[in-house]
Amino acid sequence: MAEKMTGAEMVIQALTDQGIEHIFGYPGGAALPIYDAMFQQDFVKHILVRHEQGATHMAEGYARSTGKAGVVLVTSGPGATNAVTGLTDALLDSIPLVCITAQVPTTLIGTDAFQECDTVGITRSCTKHNYLVKDIAELPRIMHEAFRIATTGRPGPVVVDIPKDVQFAVGDYYRPDDASLRHQSYRPQVDGDAKAIEAAVDLMLKAERPIFYTGGGVINAGPEASENLRELAELTGFPVTSTLMGLGAFPASNPQWMGMLGMHGTYEANMAMHDCDVMINIGARFDDRITGRVDAFSPNSTKIHIDIDPSSINKIVRVDLPIVGDCNRVLEEMIRVWRSRTNQPRTEAIAPWWAEIQKWRSVNSLGFKNSDTVIKPQWAIQRLYEATRKQSKDVYITTEVGQHQMWAAQHFHFDKPNHWMTSGGLGTMGYGLPAAVGVQVAHPDALVIDIAGEASVQMTMQELSTAVQYRLPIKVFILNNERMGMVRQWQDLLHGSRYAHSYSESLPDFVKLAEAYGAKGIKCDTPAELDAAIADMLAYDGPVLFDVLVERDENCLPMIPSGKPHNEIILPDTAGIGDIIDEKGKMLV
Amino acid sequence: MNAHLQPTGSAYFLTQETQQIERHTLSVLVDNEPGILARVVGLFSARGYNIESLTVSETEHGRRLSRITVVVTATPRVLVQIKLQLERLVPVHRVHDLTAEGSAIERELALIKVAGTGEHRGETLRLADAFRAHIVDATVESFVFEVTGKPDKIDSFIALMQPLGLVEVVRTGLAAISRGKESL
Ligand SMILES: Cc1ncc(C[n+]2csc(CCOP(=O)(O)OP(=O)(O)O)c2C)c(N)n1
Ligand SMILES: [Mg+2]
């Protein structure tokens, strides 16, 4: 049923019809009609950010923690260009976003008008799809199609650029039904090929050294996918590892869990990947942080790869058995087929494999030397983890990018999907604080903590003001080593410890800074006082900036250096990391 | 560009590519909507794929469909990626590797301007005749020929015209279609 309304009203109506209660945005001249339409209703609530990049990361946190699309609204020109980092981040991590950008009136497009930029041109390569709406008649379809494309198949960001005159124009609003929305050329394949799934189970039934290598795709396939992963792991008895993006899909407390794999993954996960005979990749993409040196990557395994995106198959690593489909559907089928063949896990057949894994585990690759005079960053995260376990609240963790991010992945343990948000593919410093704001908007009663570095957090620090405005009690746990620790570590590894610009000089007083924003500031530099200070932070009903002064020169280990295979991992007790990488390896990132 | 280095797509490929580079003609059926060409071309430059030739035009007005014929050079592994990456674009319906699917019919049109007087003109006309080039413009000092055929035929014609006063060449790029009754 069509209803007459303006383009601006259509935007709000479409959001309402999509069930979107929160959007993150920042106004400006070209976006004012949409803001005006929003002002006159109260279903869609707007969170006013302090920088459009913040809006995009908030929407990512919102999306990742709810499984729904995150929505961003920004103005033309600088509003749109400020959103580019978050759009790219969402593209690389397959996060569903719909970003509405206002545009100068159609009559001014191409004239270098005030606050004009070629938004669709700029965002073409950092979105899953984008639209410039030139005709009001197309707006209802495009709005709904944007949600469909963002949330189905391999999720991703979609930009809808709406010129100001189209926002004012009056037209017929309707909610297109699903069938008419089906863009003829856009048909993601969700069901895996039945024969391939049977062949995969047959391989698994013969495996002697199997491993599940899971990724963000399992999270994107919804909580049922995580349930099914758990069930399949139990049915088979196989060990499970995951990428950074997949943490939480399989419970860290389960004995079959081997920890994260990859550049800073555990020794046992990486060794098992290297030596396995059947690798079952579920929703991961053989990213270079995982594979290390490709020609030495898991040299003797038969590889099964389940992915909803056909272009992920054979992109980096040649696989033996590709299954294109939604992880959840494929897992369901695998469980069904496995059950039809046997009702026993392969406990005995793979007992020698588990024995080997046990040996690797006993290396204790996440170990570190603790201290009673200086706070070790790994220990700080362990204490934080222990403290949050005693909370009755649901706990969500976001991170910035650097050593603290990897330590968080290693030492904070996740038992549920959608509770861990981090910038994996793009590695965007400044992601964590706004992402925490977005998570807290979606889960007002939860405990949301950004595990941060003092350098990263300053990139989007101003969003603390947003947290204060909307009474969002996020906790920012800054592991302050007074330097860009990860950069310093690479300079030690690759550049003779010449620390070019990796110090964080003239750091702000984070306690005063918190107070200036109207938040609480806490500082701690003594191991003996840490637990009490964490308790203070958790007890405070409001946003907190917690400045934890930690060991400055701690290395994040284990580490597979660039250009090395998995079995040449650097373990925690290695001295003199500066001599490990050869000239060729130094070229790599 | 670095197409030959693409096989692993990783920062860590230290191995030399062993596959041979091939030239393939892809036929891409797309929605004829604004920006579609930029999307396709942007994908090639962003991922470091090589384009040898590209032609695009609306082919089914009623359904607003366009056909893009693109000639690429890549290793077999990268060719598969190119096809899959193209298919990932929302407005792309189908991608066919005409080269892999059998002997497609490939044609190109060129307009070629040759200037000269005296005995050269007779020689020019004789060669044009042999290549079935049509004269589409003539003055006392010049000819413009229209020649159609496979790209290598046009290459040879152009090479022959070089010493005879070739001044300008315009080529359409390749149009290709599969043989038999099937359509894309
Ligand atoms: C926007 C952005 N710029 C630069 C980088 C490169 N980079 C990666 S980690 C890092 C240092 C991070 O320092 P900090 O936040 O203090 O974390 P730490 O490693 O010390 O824990 C830098 C500069 C990045 N990832 N993102
Ligand atoms: Mg730091």
Side-chain angles (χ1 to χ4, degrees), chain A residues 70-186:
Chain A
V71 181
V72 174
L73 171 60
V74 298
T75 192
S76 66
T81 56
N82 275 349
V84 166
T85 300
L87 293 170
T88 313
D89 194 90
L91 183 71
L92 279 176
D93 285 344
S94 306
I95 311 289
L97 292 194
V98 172
C99 177
I100 298 158
T101 57
Q103 184 54 276
V104 300
T106 49
T107 47
L108 290 184
I109 289 178
T111 65
D112 299 324
F114 178 63
Q115 294 196 328
E116 178 185 1
C117 74
D118 175 11
T119 302
V120 285
I122 291 169
T123 61
R124 197 171 284 129
S125 62
C126 64
T127 52
K128 182 172 173 187
H129 194 51
N130 63 14
Y131 301 87
L132 169 61
V133 188
K134 284 189 166 164
D135 181 354
I136 182 78
E138 291 201 305
L139 186 57
R141 176 187 60 82
I142 289 176
M143 281 299 298
H144 290 283
E145 197 171 276
F147 277 93
R148 186 179 149 72
I149 289 174
T151 54
T152 57
R154 180 175 180 174
V158 176
V159 161
V160 184
D161 197 27
I162 313 179
K164 195 169 183 178
D165 53 337
V166 177
Q167 298 172 33
F168 276 125
V170 175
D172 290 327
Y173 176 81
Y174 60 98
R175 184 176 182 179
D177 56 32
D178 236 25
S180 71
L181 261 185
R182 215 146 289 164
H183 212 287
Q184 279 200 344
S185 54
Y186 177 76

Side-chain angles (χ1 to χ4, degrees), chain A residues 403-404 452-456 479-486 504:
Chain A
Q403 291 182 316
H404 62 275
E454 83 297 333
S456 295
L479 294 176
N480 184 351
N481 50 13
E482 298 177 359
R483 53 196 33 57
M484 302 172 195
M486 193 58 98
S504 300

Side-chain angles (χ1 to χ4, degrees), chain A residues 59 84 119 196 252 275 318 328 368 428 436 443 485 490 492-493 516 526 543 550:
Chain A
V84 166
T119 302
D275 285 3
R318 206 192 58 74
N328 187 40
F368 59 95
T428 310
H443 309 276
W490 280 58
D492 276 334
L493 267 168
T526 322
V550 296

Side-chain angles (χ1 to χ4, degrees), chain A residues 404-417:
Chain A
H404 62 275
Q405 174 190 31
M406 292 300 124
W407 282 319
Q410 294 172 339
H411 297 282
F412 207 102
H413 305 294
F414 301 92
D415 280 348
K416 285 190 265 184

Side-chain angles (χ1 to χ4, degrees), chain B residues 134-181:
Chain B
H134 302 291
I135 301 169
V136 287
D137 179 64
T139 68
V140 288
E141 295 183 313
S142 70
F143 294 113
V144 174
F145 296 110
E146 172 196 320
V147 57
T148 336
K150 291 189 183 162
D152 51 355
K153 169 185 160 183
I154 294 175
D155 290 344
S156 346
F157 185 64
I158 291 169
L160 288 170
M161 288 299 114
Q162 196 75 51
L164 297 174
L166 181 79
V167 286
E168 205 171 4
V169 179
V170 182
R171 301 172 72 149
T172 57
L174 197 71
I177 200 163
S178 64
R179 291 178 191 273
K181 68 173 166 48

